[in-house]
Structures are given as C-alpha cells and as structure tokens.
Amino acid sequence: GMDHAQARDVIYTPLDTDKLAQQLEQRGFCTRRAWSQAADRVEYLHRPDLGRRLDAACIVGLRETASASTRLSVVVADGLSSLAPAQHALPLLGELKARLGDWELDDIVIATQARVALGDEIGSLRRAEAVAVLIGERPGLNAADSLGVYLTYAPAAGRTDADRNCISNIRPAGL
C-alpha cells in the first residue's frame, strides 16, 4: 500500500523547477525553461499528445541563443515522476559534463508537463546535433524515482521511438 501511494504521489507532485535551476546553476550549468501544451497535470495525464509539443510561448526563448556548433542539448523533464529528475539529474549531468570530450554542452532546458518527444522539438530549436532527455519514468511499486535518458541524433519534430536510444532505471537501486 505504501509503495502504491508513493507511486501515485510522484505522478502528481510538481517538479520544483526553481530549486533544480538553482542547483544546476550553482554547479556551473546555464538553464532555460520550457513547458508543453498541456495546461496542467490532469490534462497532461489525459492528453499525452499535448505533452509532446512545446507551448508557443517557449519557442522564441529557446531559439534566441541557439548556435550552430557541435552540441548536445539536454532536457531535464518531469515526465511521470518528478522525484526522479529532482534526485538524479544533477549527479548524472555532473558525470556527463566531465566526459563530453569535443561536444559542447548546451544550456540545460528544464521542461514541465513533458513527454520524451518534447526534446525533439527543443533540440531542433536549439540547433543541436543530438538531444538527451532526462525524464522521470512511470513509477512502479518499488521504483518511484526511476530516471530514463532518451538520446536522439538530429532531433526534429516527428521523430519516433525507433529514432531514439534509451537507458532506463537510472537510480541508486536501478539495474
């Protein structure tokens, strides 16, 4: 019963975007914000299609500082578990940043009411060579904090799951 309640809670608990942005910026990352067309959590859960598209109000802000260099855009998204990105995105990004080699890391985009495909539109607007979406996965009875990473090369709206690579169950107890 406790596991089920925790799984239900993480679906409805909003990601504290201000806190996450502050933590990322304290570690030297630049951040931007984005949100999907889903107006609230209930609509997000009932209309997955709206979670896959950016709200028009985000587009100018995401496009304005995009450059045309080899770059990886990273989207940290709430998905179906706000707990996962809140706990695991910062340590994962710290490890990633140290290992990027010649890749330039773009500003980190913190996205809410987000599905995986939102990253394709963000990556395209940011003129990224690739986009990695760090997203809270659907909680299970023993995994309310599981983070998934979906990597898409040459991101563009309309990409499918067949165009992405995924690493899932990223968490201390994950496999």
Side-chain angles (χ1 to χ4, degrees), residues 128-131 152-156 159:
E129 187 169 341
V131 64
T152 307
Y153 188 78
R159 292 281 194 190

Side-chain angles (χ1 to χ4, degrees), residues 10-55:
V10 299
I11 289 174
Y12 288 100
T13 301
L15 178 62
D16 188 341
T17 57
D18 291 336
K19 181 178 179 182
L20 182 58
Q22 181 181 28
Q23 290 172 333
L24 287 165
E25 289 165 9
Q26 286 173 349
R27 292 277 301 268
F29 296 98
C30 294
T31 63
R32 298 191 161 274
R33 305 288 176 96
W35 52 95
S36 75
Q37 292 177 2
D40 56 35
R41 203 62 181 169
V42 172
E43 186 173 48
Y44 169 81
L45 293 170
H46 290 279
R47 295 281 312 274
D49 59 311
L50 295 178
R52 295 181 185 110
R53 297 300 316 253
L54 276 173
D55 185 285

Side-chain angles (χ1 to χ4, degrees), residues 60-142:
V60 172
L62 290 170
R63 188 182 286 148
E64 68 185 7
T65 61
S67 67
S69 61
T70 301
R71 94 157 83 213
L72 173 66
S73 286
V74 175
V75 178
V76 177
D78 53 2
L80 292 170
S81 170
S82 60
L83 183 61
Q87 289 186 342
H88 309 308
L90 185 59
L92 182 60
L93 285 168
E95 293 295 325
L96 176 68
K97 187 177 184 180
R99 292 168 171 76
L100 281 178
D102 293 336
W103 282 77
E104 175 192 344
L105 183 62
D106 191 10
D107 295 349
I108 306 299
V109 177
I110 301 170
T112 55
Q113 313 301 9
R115 301 283 177 169
V116 172
L118 196 71
D120 298 332
E121 196 171 355
I122 292 170
S124 179
L125 288 169
R126 300 296 298 158
R127 298 170 63 187
E129 187 169 341
V131 64
V133 179
L134 285 58
I135 191 166
E137 296 181 319
R138 179 181 292 116
L141 288 182
N142 290 317

